[in-house]
Amino acid sequence: MAGARNNLARVFPRPEEGEVIPVQFIDMQEKLAGWSPELKRSIYVDEYKDTEGLKRVREINLLKVYNWILDGESLIELSDMERGQFEEVMDTFIKHGGEILFTRKRVGGRLANYFILKNSSKPGTEVTKRSMSDII
């Protein structure tokens, strides 16, 4: 089981189809991403002038979340379509609460990032408004 969760507890998590990661939204930014051959990883910059020496430069939406499996921050690159789907889930979360789960599902021949809103998993954890005089 530890090996199966290894791909989930990363800064850049890559869940397989059917695996889910509970996440909490932190921030989203529009960035330029490019592959650095020297560092052998993607680099994120704010302006085109900073992309010199990078390959496959593209505009992305960089989502920063708290990954509950990692117990730390994770980054997820989102396409515009994936961002729209995330924003729909986030709007529903703001209105109704619950838990946001990150997974990937097969679209065509590739895995796409996908978010699910699940009702609170712990019954009786709803916050109720009570005054201190009622409690005492």
Side-chain angles (χ1 to χ4, degrees):
M1 185 71 170
R5 294 172 93 59
N6 187 30
N7 62 322
L8 306 179
R10 301 175 126 173
V11 174
F12 291 95
R14 305 285 290 185
E16 294 296 325
E17 195 169 21
E19 293 180 318
V20 294
I21 302 171
V23 297
Q24 182 69 42
F25 173 77
I26 296 176
D27 187 30
M28 187 178 320
Q29 299 177 350
E30 293 180 3
K31 294 276 191 179
L32 295 170
W35 178 257
S36 170
E38 297 84 33
L39 300 175
K40 294 184 173 42
R41 66 180 180 97
S42 289
I43 302 293
Y44 302 101
V45 296
D46 292 317
E47 298 182 26
Y48 273 106
K49 68 179 182 173
D50 299 327
T51 62
E52 189 175 323
L54 300 179
K55 297 184 178 204
R56 297 189 309 270
V57 176
R58 63 208 180 275
E59 293 180 3
I60 55 112
N61 300 291
L62 189 62
L63 176 65
K64 185 188 292 187
V65 296
Y66 185 85
N67 179 337
W68 290 97
I69 293 176
L70 174 63
D71 198 16
E73 291 182 6
S74 286
L75 300 172
I76 304 167
E77 283 188 26
L78 300 178
S79 68
D80 289 337
M81 185 176 70
E82 293 167 344
R83 178 183 179 154
Q85 192 269 330
F86 171 76
E87 288 174 346
E88 288 176 19
V89 168
M90 193 65 192
D91 288 344
T92 306
F93 171 77
I94 290 169
K95 291 176 187 171
H96 304 290
E99 181 179 30
I100 300 174
L101 303 174
F102 167 55
T103 188
R104 296 188 309 159
K105 72 181 207 178
R106 197 156 301 279
V107 177
R110 62 182 284 273
L111 288 174
N113 296 323
Y114 191 74
F115 297 89
I116 302 165
L117 183 63
K118 179 180 157 192
N119 292 334
S120 180
S121 59
K122 297 179 184 173
T125 59
E126 302 300 318
V127 176
T128 57
K129 185 176 179 181
R130 298 181 358 191
S131 67
M132 186 58 105
S133 61
D134 293 341
I135 295 171
I136 299 176

